[in-house]
């Protein structure tokens, strides 16, 4: 980037990046939302997505440890509380396990992570390493895919309820909560990068971080599509649906 963007122009550029690269246009995502997947394929998605959900507090703790401003730390630590909860059975991760329970998956098996696709594990682990190794500005910026997550959560909630008889509003409770939490988190991260990306090089890094995060999310769905849709070739040792 040759010039310094205004805060509004930076936001517009980030939204364009996410609009082009976010996983909302991935074939697996479209199949999931429109009721074209079998129950076993939905199980595979929920089980693999659990690994991403489980690693979010780890990622957020790495960011929290590097934020210098107490006000920023107070805002960011809410992400960890939202996902881990204040007590057993509370929080986003518990709500995701409610989803896998409702889909008929054994909870101990889900939590063991034994059935997770290697490519999903590699993508999520790479994201955690990215957050730990890059600048805190890039780490915060990588979360800005959340600019689109409330819309995705709303579409997924309505689409799955309309198209799958084996899910209920209760089992999809995770997505209800994300509608408000996602907007709050995205607003903080956007203000942070607008405040701290004050040079063209910093803005370039912010944009690249969002592109990277989009690739992480996209690659997880690539792995699911290859293993469970076409050519339907799951690697040895992972979850295999029993239709």
């Amino acid at each position: 980037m040759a010039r310094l963007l205004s805060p509004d122009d930076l936001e517009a550029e980030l939204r364009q990046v996410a609009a082009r690269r976010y996983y909302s246009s991935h074939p697996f995502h479209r199949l999931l939302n429109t009721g074209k997947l079998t129950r076993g394929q939905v199980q595979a998605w929920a089980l693999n997505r659990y690994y991403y959900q489980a690693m979010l507090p780890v990622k957020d703790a790495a960011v929290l440890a590097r934020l210098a401003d107490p006000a920023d730390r107070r805002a960011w630590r809410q992400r960890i509380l939202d996902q881990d909860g204040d007590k057993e059975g509370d929080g986003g991760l518990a709500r995701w396990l409610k989803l896998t329970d409702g889909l008929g998956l054994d909870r101990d098996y889900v939590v063991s992570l034994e059935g997770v696709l290697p490519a999903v594990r590699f993508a999520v682990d790479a994201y955690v390493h990215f957050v730990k190794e890059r600048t805190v500005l890039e780490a915060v910026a990588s979360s800005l895919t959340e600019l689109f997550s409330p819309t995705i959560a709303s579409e997924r909630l309505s689409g799955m309820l309309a198209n799958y008889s084996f899910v209920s509003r209760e089992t999809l409770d995770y997505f209800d909560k994300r509608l408000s939490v996602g907007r709050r988190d995205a607003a903080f991260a956007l203000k942070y990068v607008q405040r701290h990306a004050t040079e063209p090089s910093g803005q370039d890094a912010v944009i690249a971080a969002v592109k990277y995060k989009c690739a992480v999310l996209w690659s997880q769905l690539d792995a699911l599509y290859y293993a469970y849709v076409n050519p339907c070739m799951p690697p040895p040792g992972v979850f295999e649906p029993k239709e």
Side-chain angles (χ1 to χ4, degrees):
M1 189 181 300
R3 65 184 180 89
L4 182 67
L5 297 176
S6 70
D8 287 344
D9 285 344
L10 178 59
E11 178 182 354
E13 179 64 25
L14 292 170
R15 288 185 179 277
Q16 287 181 17
V17 168
R20 292 192 301 266
R21 296 170 181 257
Y22 198 45
Y23 71 86
S24 54
S25 59
H26 194 284
F28 190 93
H29 174 78
R30 291 176 175 174
L31 291 171
L32 176 66
N33 278 18
T34 56
K36 300 297 177 25
L37 297 182
T38 66
R39 182 170 180 268
Q41 289 168 328
V42 176
Q43 286 178 322
W45 161 75
L47 181 146
N48 277 273
R49 181 77 176 185
Y50 174 78
Y51 185 59
Y52 176 76
Q53 298 293 332
M55 295 305 290
L56 285 178
V58 177
K59 178 269 295 184
D60 287 327
V63 178
L64 181 65
R66 302 169 64 197
L67 290 169
D69 190 318
D72 290 338
R73 290 198 297 270
R74 284 192 294 271
W76 197 268
R77 75 186 181 197
Q78 187 61 48
R79 292 170 177 252
I80 301 174
L81 290 174
D82 287 339
Q83 192 70 350
D84 283 345
D86 287 320
K87 59 182 183 297
E88 189 71 24
D90 186 29
L93 196 56
R95 285 189 290 274
W96 196 269
L97 287 170
K98 185 189 297 185
L99 169 60
T100 58
D101 289 345
L103 290 172
L105 290 165
D106 179 77
R107 179 173 289 211
D108 288 340
Y109 178 67
V110 174
V111 173
S112 75
L113 307 176
E114 291 178 12
V116 176
L117 292 167
V120 168
R121 191 185 296 267
F122 293 157
V124 174
D125 290 349
Y127 178 44
V128 175
H129 286 302
F130 177 93
V131 167
K132 290 179 178 179
E133 295 168 1
R134 298 300 184 98
T135 65
V136 69
L137 176 62
E138 291 169 288
V140 171
S142 69
S143 73
L144 279 170
T145 49
E146 289 174 326
L147 288 168
F148 282 76
S149 65
T151 301
I152 295 299
S154 178
E155 291 173 352
R156 179 167 291 157
L157 182 62
S158 59
M160 292 186 72
L161 284 173
N163 292 298
Y164 297 113
S165 61
F166 49 82
V167 299
S168 67
R169 189 90 189 193
E170 183 181 3
T171 57
L172 296 175
D173 185 43
Y174 173 87
F175 300 106
D176 266 329
K177 182 70 171 178
R178 286 304 304 171
L179 298 179
S180 59
V181 170
R183 292 188 183 94
R184 181 205 66 201
D185 291 346
F188 171 83
L190 180 60
K191 288 179 181 178
Y192 184 94
V193 300
Q194 287 173 325
R195 189 166 72 249
H196 291 277
T198 57
E199 299 289 339
S201 59
Q203 293 182 339
D204 284 344
V206 164
I207 293 167
V210 175
K211 290 179 179 178
Y212 175 81
K213 176 63 177 305
C214 286
V216 167
L217 297 171
W218 191 279
S219 63
Q220 292 177 61
L221 295 188
D222 277 349
L224 283 163
Y225 192 90
Y226 185 91
Y228 299 108
V229 179
N230 187 24
C232 199
M233 292 178 59
V238 302
F239 172 73
E240 294 191 24
K242 296 177 176 61
E243 300 296 352

